Amino acid sequence: MTTPPYPSWLANNPRARRDLPFGREQQFVVNPNGIPELLEELGQCPAHRVTPLHALPGLAGRLGVAEVRVKDESQRFGFGAFKALGGVIAVYNVLSGAVGDAYHSQTTFAALMRNEHQEVTARYVFTTASSGNHGRSVAAGAKLFGNRCVIFLPKFTSAEKEAAIRARGAEVIRVDGDYDTAVAECRRQAEANGWTIISDTSWEGYDSIPRSVMRGYTVLVEEIIQQWRPGPTHVFVQAGVGGLAAAVFGYLWARYEPRPVFIVVEPESADCWFQSNRAGKPALASGNADTVMGGLACREISPVTWPVIGLAADWFMTIEEDQVVPARRLLARPMAGDPAITSGPSGCAGMAGLVRICTEATAFETLGLDKNARVLLINSEGDLGEPLT
């Protein structure tokens, strides 16, 4: 077997075809229709603001590319993470669907915020397992529409993130185990109590709500399209179970011709996508998912995302733990002229991936990065209590 001319932490996707159309299988996962209208409807929520897309010309010059832009989700819905979109939209979709079934008519975001249709919606109790950010999002959605919420947290979730969830009115149950253990306990108690799970990962017989969560994430991609013409040539996106990466890759794949080069970035201890790419099907991470990047601490992918990421991602790469803090510093203490961006350990992973590629000449050249490249990164979370030392 011929050894690839690039590092072992970088792998190409043998299934990726740049001429492959965005077909029905992909549209089932990420439906691009109606997203501009959804963005407009979100304007009814007083907490919603379009998040900034920052240009970093100083960094771009240092790295040898034309542009680096960072979509800053640290300001999303006032609580600092992209997952706000997924949980809030998914809760809204469940409640609006229930109203539609009851009355054979549509309701609106604003009507549900005014607690109309409580005779239909009040019975819903929402729950999820989360390492922090998704739980806050589901809690925020439940609070917005006046519903009870129960969040299951793995043992590694910080006290600050737990406090932020409780501040949004949710009950918290700590699980003595990792994220996957929390998912299992959430499923058990939800079935016993008749609660509605709002999960960002899928399993056998459960994919409708994870697809609804990803639909929420596509709102930030529509914002990017409206904020940046002509848009990116290369997109680095961090992946846990894959919801954000699938939403970003899928929506850009559907909207751009040719589509950008897509790169998945993961912690080396939680490399479930890297290993799935190698196996050609969903596979477990090679490590124990023990990482400071808590939002990416996943041992398994969300299977529903495979038809998008498994075919659209051009490259998969991992980053090391000691690359996280330098990436956060690079965002928080930027080069002259660049804006300062506050990020958390998971939020800066795409930046860490870009820097790792740009400091390895063979990797830089292999990915087609050059002085004409326009790079998109997603700062998926702000600083939520993790010290920048």
Side-chain angles (χ1 to χ4, degrees), residues 9 268 317-320 323 351-360 363:
W9 44 261
E268 61 180 359
M317 67 174 294
T318 61
I319 55 175
E320 298 176 352
Q323 293 169 325
M351 173 64 80
L354 172 63
V355 171
R356 188 171 207 188
I357 290 291
C358 290
T359 52
E360 172 62 54

Side-chain angles (χ1 to χ4, degrees), residues 26 33 44 58 62 86 95 114 195 204 220 270 284 326 340 348 354:
Q26 287 72 44
N33 298 319
Q44 300 173 13
R62 174 181 166 183
L95 297 178
R114 292 192 299 267
W195 298 340
E204 183 71 29
L220 72 89
L284 294 176
C348 73
L354 172 63

Side-chain angles (χ1 to χ4, degrees), residues 107-126:
T107 187
T108 65
F109 205 94
L112 290 177
M113 284 195 300
R114 292 192 299 267
N115 292 323
E116 295 181 16
H117 313 300
Q118 282 282 292
E119 70 282 2
V120 174
T121 62
R123 66 181 179 85
Y124 282 88
V125 177
F126 294 103

Side-chain angles (χ1 to χ4, degrees), residues 7-353:
S8 60
W9 44 261
L10 177 65
N12 75 316
N13 182 357
R15 295 164 304 280
R17 280 179 34 210
R18 299 194 58 76
D19 61 344
L20 185 69
F22 190 80
R24 294 185 65 180
E25 189 178 15
Q26 287 72 44
Q27 192 169 74
F28 176 78
V29 181
V30 177
N31 188 336
N33 298 319
I35 302 304
E37 291 78 10
L38 178 59
L39 175 57
E40 184 176 340
E41 188 169 7
L42 276 174
Q44 300 173 13
C45 177
H48 180 258
R49 299 288 185 278
V50 172
T51 56
L53 180 68
H54 296 296
L56 278 60
L59 180 64
R62 174 181 166 183
L63 297 180
V65 297
E67 292 186 70
V68 174
R69 297 206 184 190
V70 180
K71 181 64 168 171
D72 187 7
E73 291 298 294
S74 69
Q75 302 177 45
R76 180 67 67 180
F77 269 117
F79 77 70
F82 80 98
K83 290 197 172 183
L85 286 167
V88 170
I89 294 298
V91 168
Y92 165 67
N93 285 342
V94 169
L95 297 178
S96 61
V99 172
D101 290 343
Y103 298 122
H104 305 289
S105 62
Q106 292 184 331
T107 187
T108 65
F109 205 94
L112 290 177
M113 284 195 300
R114 292 192 299 267
N115 292 323
E116 295 181 16
H117 313 300
Q118 282 282 292
E119 70 282 2
V120 174
T121 62
R123 66 181 179 85
Y124 282 88
V125 177
F126 294 103
T127 187
T128 195
S130 171
S131 60
N133 290 339
H134 180 65
R136 290 193 304 137
S137 174
V138 175
K143 182 178 182 180
L144 194 64
F145 303 121
N147 292 84
R148 183 186 171 203
C149 184
V150 182
I151 305 297
F152 292 81
L153 298 179
K155 63 181 180 182
F156 64 77
T157 300
S158 69
E160 290 84 359
K161 287 186 177 181
E162 177 177 345
I165 290 170
R166 291 186 184 278
R168 285 162 176 82
E171 303 161 37
V172 171
I173 297 177
R174 281 278 187 173
V175 176
D176 186 17
D178 60 11
Y179 171 75
D180 297 290
T181 306
V183 169
E185 181 62 15
C186 175
R187 291 177 63 181
R188 187 188 71 79
Q189 292 207 32
E191 183 176 357
N193 294 293
W195 298 340
T196 300
I197 300 175
I198 304 292
S199 178
D200 56 355
T201 191
S202 62
W203 53 80
E204 183 71 29
Y206 180 87
D207 62 33
S208 178
I209 286 178
R211 288 188 287 115
S212 181
V213 169
M214 286 186 286
R215 184 169 176 79
Y217 299 160
T218 61
V219 167
L220 72 89
V221 194
E222 173 61 27
E223 290 178 0
I224 291 168
I225 291 172
Q226 294 183 16
Q227 291 167 317
W228 189 9
R229 309 283 183 179
T233 61
H234 293 72
V235 182
F236 288 74
V237 179
Q238 53 269 48
V241 298
L244 175 62
V248 174
F249 295 173
Y251 198 70
L252 291 176
W253 182 5
R255 294 290 302 273
Y256 282 161
E257 177 60 44
R259 63 175 175 79
V261 176
F262 296 136
I263 303 101
V264 169
V265 182
E266 296 177 288
E268 61 180 359
S269 68
D271 61 344
C272 49
W273 275 106
F274 195 92
Q275 298 303 326
S276 296
N277 175 60
R278 176 178 291 175
K281 61 182 180 180
L284 294 176
S286 62
N288 61 4
D290 184 10
T291 171
V292 68
M293 294 166 274
L296 310 179
C298 305
R299 292 182 301 179
E300 300 180 57
I301 74 168
S302 176
V304 72
T305 63
W306 178 259
V308 172
I309 300 177
L311 295 179
D314 298 286
W315 296 91
F316 296 84
M317 67 174 294
T318 61
I319 55 175
E320 298 176 352
E321 296 297 300
D322 63 6
Q323 293 169 325
V324 173
V325 170
R328 291 181 67 198
R329 287 184 184 141
L330 196 57
L331 289 166
R333 304 164 189 168
M335 302 185 67
D338 290 354
I341 300 172
T342 301
S343 69
S346 298
C348 73
M351 173 64 80

